[in-house]
Structure formats: structure tokens, C-alpha cells
Amino acid sequence: MLKRFRMLPIHPQWLLSAREERRALGRVLKPLRGRVLDIGCAGGRLRRYFSSEIKYIGLDYPDTALALYATRPDLYADARHLPIATASVDAVVLKDVLEHVPEPQCALDECARVLRDGGKMVIWVPFIYPIHDAPYDFQRFTEHGLITCLDLAGFEVEYLQGQLKPVETAALLGSLALADIMETILTKYRVFVFLLPLLVLGVLIVNVLGKLIGLLPAGTFMPAFYRMQAVRRSRLSKDEGA
């Protein structure tokens, strides 16, 4: 029901602009070529960003694909054990997935294995965001942790940027906390239902203040998410450096 209000500041995730996300995905995904592996694809909504010339492969973990999303990807598999031939893929996409893998380094190693030398890896991952898709939410990453994990797997990071300024991240968490109170009232404590209009107003105020204050200069120490792209290093150069 909340989806219809996603573009309005009364939505708890309004600061995570759906329009901005679509534009950002288009900029990142449309330049990819060849054989693209989308790990954790859910319903395959990223497929729309690729032309018919792209060989898109949607892969998801059986438990989450069936139990949480009721979707049918092209492949059911664990990201730690990809049923894909070595050096046979031109790009790998991990959008909001790495936090759901119990052994993320193992998954990154597998991505490096299936990618051709020079292949691209696109990763979007939360840094400060509530637990979601429980019980399949295992960790959060700092930018330094991400860079280190990718380096160990054989990648060079081409760019890494945070999404949302610190005050916007704080406002996002505040709005989500208020939304959680509303959901709890509606499902367990309906005696407090008279407070819902005040809580909705609270979400509106927190979102608007976060957006306005976010226009001011700020640091980068507390984004909500990280977006990054990395390139697979040459296996030959890795062997020579060993």
C-alpha cells in the first residue's frame, strides 16, 4: 500500500529517491556488454536496463527467491558456489545482495572466477540501514572493508561513492523508526491507533528537514549505501605478482 506514496515525503523511504535510483542504475548498467550475471536478481527487474543484445542471466538463492519473493530466476544457486564456467561472464551485478551472503569474501572470489579478465563488477550495498529480509541479513561494510575484500578477490575499484549525506541518513533512520512504530500499532496495539496521524506528520517533518539540511556542505562518513564498480584484474598479472 505504501508504494503509491513513494514519491511523497510522507513515505519513510522518500529520501531514497526512486527516480534518482532509476537514473543511477541506467548510468551504471546500460554501458555493460556481453554476458551479464545478475546475482540476487529477485524478479529480474534489472533486465529492463539491458538491450536485447545482452545475454542477461538472473540468479537467486532458492530460499529467498521462493520464500520471500516467489520469483523464478534463470538459475537457482548460492553465490558462494556459482554454476557458471570460469572466465565466461563479462559483467556481474550485486545490487543489495552482499549483505545477505553468509560468507561475502567467498562470493566475491566466485565472482572473480566467473568473470573474464577486464570484466566489470557492479556492487550496491547498505552501510547504515535496518535489518531487512530477515533472517538472511548478515553484515554491513565500510568503504575500506569493501575495497579490501575486492582487492583480495582480484579486483581494482574504479569508483566508490556514498548515497545520502550524514544528516539524510539520520533522517532516513528516523523515518523508518517512526514507520516501525506505526506498523506495530496497526498489528499489535490498535488502542494507540489515534496516534497514527501524528506519526505520519513526524515522518513528513523528519524527511523534509533531512532534505533541507542535506543541502548544506557535509562530510562523507555516514552514507546509507555505497555504490561502486570494480574491474577484474588480469589473471596473468596476478600470477606474475605471486
Side-chain angles (χ1 to χ4, degrees), residues 66-192:
L66 295 171
L68 296 181
Y69 304 115
T71 55
R72 293 185 176 275
D74 300 312
L75 290 173
Y76 289 108
D78 189 322
R80 298 169 294 178
H81 308 285
L82 297 173
I84 306 288
T86 297
S88 65
V89 171
D90 298 288
V92 173
V93 179
L94 288 165
K95 183 184 182 297
D96 303 328
V97 169
L98 206 55
E99 71 272 22
H100 300 297
V101 181
E103 298 173 288
Q105 188 63 56
C106 183
L108 292 175
D109 291 343
E110 271 292 89
C111 291
R113 179 186 66 79
V114 303
L115 271 171
R116 296 188 176 98
D117 291 357
K120 302 291 186 179
M121 166 91 89
V122 174
I123 296 177
W124 287 21
V125 66
F127 172 51
I128 299 179
Y129 193 77
I131 293 173
H132 55 286
D133 291 353
Y136 305 102
D137 191 354
F138 302 107
Q139 62 265 317
R140 296 291 182 267
F141 299 88
T142 67
E143 61 177 296
H144 310 293
L146 285 168
I147 292 170
T148 298
C149 288
L150 285 165
D151 178 63
L152 290 172
F155 290 94
E156 294 288 344
V157 175
E158 294 186 315
Y159 75 82
L160 185 152
Q161 63 184 34
Q163 182 187 9
L164 298 189
K165 292 180 179 179
V167 70
E168 292 174 313
T169 300
L172 172 66
L173 294 178
S175 292
L176 289 170
L178 291 173
D180 177 70
I181 294 172
M182 286 188 275
E183 182 179 0
T184 303
I185 288 174
L186 287 171
T187 56
K188 297 180 180 179
Y189 300 99
R190 296 189 67 87
V191 66
F192 296 111

Side-chain angles (χ1 to χ4, degrees), residues 3 6-7 16-30 45-46 48-49 95 124 163 227:
K3 286 184 179 180
R6 182 64 192 272
M7 306 301 292
L16 294 174
S17 168
R19 184 180 293 113
E20 187 277 332
E21 178 180 281
R22 288 193 295 269
R23 288 197 297 262
L25 282 170
R27 289 193 300 269
V28 171
L29 299 180
K30 287 182 179 179
R45 72 183 187 91
L46 299 186
R48 75 184 75 168
Y49 293 95
K95 183 184 182 297
W124 287 21
Q163 182 187 9
R227 298 171 177 176

